[in-house]
Amino acid sequence: MLSEVEKNGIRSLLDRLTREDLISLTDTVTNRAVTVETCKDAIEAIISFTMNVKVLLRRKKVRREHVFQYLAENQVFVPSTADKQQLIKKVMELWEIKEKELKNGGVGGDCDYGDPSVRAHQVITA
C-alpha cells in the first residue's frame, strides 16, 4: 500500500501527462479492469492499482522530463544529464525525507533550516 506522501507525489507527477497518456497508463496498470473518463479518475485508478512506486515511475508513459520537472518544482536540483533511473532514485529519496518529516511532526534532523524543501534539497544533493 502506498503512503500519503507517495500518493500525493504520484498525483503531482501524473498531472503532467496528457489525457491520452493517462488513459493508456490506466489501461496498462489496471489491466483494463477499470474504464475511466476523466484525468482525475485515471490518476486515482492508477494510484489504487499501484503496489510498487518504482514500477509505475519506470513506465514509458511517465517520461524522464515529467520526473525532472517534478524534482525541479520540489527544489531538488539534478544535473540535466541525469537519466530516468537516477531521477527516480531522487524522487524516492525526496519522498522518504518527506515521510520522516511527517513522522517527526515536520521537524528535520539535527539542523532545522526552516523550509522543508531546502532541507530535502540539501540532504539529497549532499
Side-chain angles (χ1 to χ4, degrees):
M1 184 154 187
L2 303 178
S3 71
E4 284 305 310
V5 169
E6 291 171 327
K7 289 177 185 177
N8 290 333
I10 290 170
R11 281 185 192 97
S12 180
L13 263 164
L14 294 181
D15 216 24
R16 300 164 190 342
L17 276 67
T18 65
R19 182 180 185 280
E20 293 76 26
D21 283 347
L22 278 172
I23 301 296
S24 175
L25 186 59
T26 302
D27 288 345
T28 301
V29 170
T30 67
N31 205 17
R32 299 188 191 273
V34 177
T35 304
V36 295
E37 296 293 322
T38 67
C39 291
K40 182 180 178 188
D41 289 344
I43 290 170
E44 293 308 314
I46 291 166
I47 289 170
S48 295
F49 279 77
T50 297
M51 297 295 141
N52 185 319
V53 176
K54 286 184 183 179
V55 171
L56 175 65
L57 296 178
R58 287 183 188 135
R59 299 268 181 197
K60 282 185 183 180
K61 296 292 181 184
V62 181
R63 293 185 185 89
R64 181 197 169 279
E65 59 265 20
H66 299 139
V67 182
F68 188 84
Q69 290 170 353
Y70 173 80
L71 288 169
E73 286 179 11
N74 282 277
Q75 285 78 43
V76 179
F77 303 103
V78 292
S80 59
T81 57
D83 64 21
K84 186 176 175 184
Q85 194 58 39
Q86 291 168 319
L87 297 176
I88 290 170
K89 184 178 180 209
K90 294 294 184 186
V91 167
M92 301 306 294
E93 290 172 7
L94 173 65
W95 291 350
E96 185 178 321
I97 289 167
K98 287 184 176 187
E99 284 287 338
K100 287 179 182 176
E101 287 179 353
L102 263 176
K103 289 179 183 174
N104 293 333
V107 177
D110 295 334
C111 300
D112 187 358
Y113 298 100
D115 182 357
S117 62
V118 172
R119 284 196 308 276
H121 169 68
Q122 290 176 342
V123 171
I124 290 175
T125 59

